[in-house]
Amino acid sequence: MIIAKVVGNVTTTHRISQMGGKKLLTVRPVDLDGKGDKAKEFLVADIVGAGIGETVLIVSEGGVATELLEDKNWPTQHIIVAIVDKINRFKWVPRKKGPFKK
Amino acid sequence: MRLAQICGTVVATEKSPGLKGCPLLVVDMLDFQLKPNGERLIVIDRIGVGPGEKVILSMGREATLGMDRPFVPADGSVVGIYQGGQYMGDGL
C-alpha cells in the first residue's frame, strides 16, 4: 500500500456502466515527509469519503479494488482504503551486542 | 486512471481477433492542470468520444474489465468523459 495526498477531484459527464457513482479523487503519492511528484498523480475511486487535503492509504492491486467496489468490473487498478490520521516514525538504533545475550 | 485528450484515431486491418470492432484512439496524456505532458498512447474506446474531448483513461489489465468479449488485448481504455473538477496542485 502507498500513502498519498488527495489534491483534487474529477467529475464526468459520461461513464461506462460498470463504473458506479463513486467519486473520483486525484491523488499524489507522497513519502513520509509529505513530499510527492506532481507527474505521478492519478485518479482513484473513493469508498471512505476522503476530502481534498487529506492523506490516504491506497491499494494498487486491481483484484482488491474490484472486490471492494460494488461492480466486479470496475476498471481500476487502485482504490482508497483508509484515511491516515498519524504516522509514527521510529528511529533505528543499532544494537551494541548480538541478538543472544549470554 | 488518468486524464487524456483525444488527438487522433488508428486504423488497423490486420489485428488480434480480440480487437475486432474496438475503435483505437491516439491520446495525449494530460496532467491534472489539463496540460499535455508529452506522453502519447493508443487506447481503445469504450464510450464513443470525438476528437479533442478530454477523457478519463483506465490503464493496465483492468482497462478491459466488463467488456462483452472474453479477452481484449489492450492495456488502456477510455472509460469516461471529463467534465470538471477541483485541483489543489501547487497549493499543497
Side-chain angles (χ1 to χ4, degrees):
Chain A
M1 287 182 277
I2 56 171
I3 301 177
K5 263 213 161 88
V6 179
V7 295
N9 58 31
V10 161
T11 55
T12 55
T13 55
H14 290 94
R15 298 182 177 194
I16 57 175
S17 55
Q18 288 85 355
M19 286 166 74
K22 289 275 183 284
K23 273 170 48 183
L24 293 176
L25 296 179
T26 313
V27 296
R28 176 188 308 168
V30 295
D31 59 16
L32 292 180
D33 297 316
K35 284 195 285 288
D37 187 5
K38 260 176 79 164
K40 295 212 164 52
E41 289 169 354
F42 55 90
L43 290 174
V44 58
D46 175 30
I47 56 169
V48 296
I52 298 182
E54 298 202 275
T55 306
V56 293
L57 269 184
I58 295 184
V59 171
S60 301
E61 179 75 24
V64 171
T66 54
E67 195 64 38
L68 290 174
L69 293 159
E70 64 263 350
D71 193 322
K72 296 287 170 281
N73 290 315
W74 231 102
T76 179
Q77 283 177 309
H78 311 273
I79 187 146
I80 296 180
V81 292
I83 301 179
V84 173
D85 295 324
K86 188 166 182 229
I87 300 175
N88 293 320
R89 305 178 71 163
F90 299 139
K91 200 170 159 196
W92 184 74
V93 176
R95 289 181 65 95
K96 296 191 182 68
K97 287 193 175 149
F100 303 107
K101 283 199 180 152
K102 291 214 176 73
Chain B
M1 283 177 283
R2 299 167 65 183
L3 293 182
Q5 186 160 20
I6 312 292
C7 64
T9 60
V10 172
V11 176
T13 43
E14 284 294 323
K15 53 191 172 185
S16 179
L19 284 176
K20 259 194 168 54
C22 286
L24 297 167
L25 300 172
V26 186
V27 298
D28 276 326
M29 301 304 292
L30 301 175
D31 64 14
F32 287 94
Q33 283 166 323
L34 303 182
K35 285 199 293 287
N37 69 4
E39 206 185 337
R40 269 212 170 125
L41 293 177
I42 317 292
V43 297
I44 60 174
D45 187 0
R46 293 178 68 176
I47 294 226
V49 290
E53 295 219 51
K54 294 188 177 56
V55 294
I56 315 278
L57 295 191
S58 173
M59 313 297 298
R61 186 74 182 82
E62 288 76 19
T64 56
L65 271 184
M67 289 186 76
D68 49 6
R69 59 197 86 175
F71 177 62
V72 178
D75 61 357
S77 63
V78 174
V79 292
I81 300 179
Y82 174 80
Q83 178 182 39
Q86 299 164 294
Y87 182 62
M88 234 172 98
D90 303 311
L92 195 57

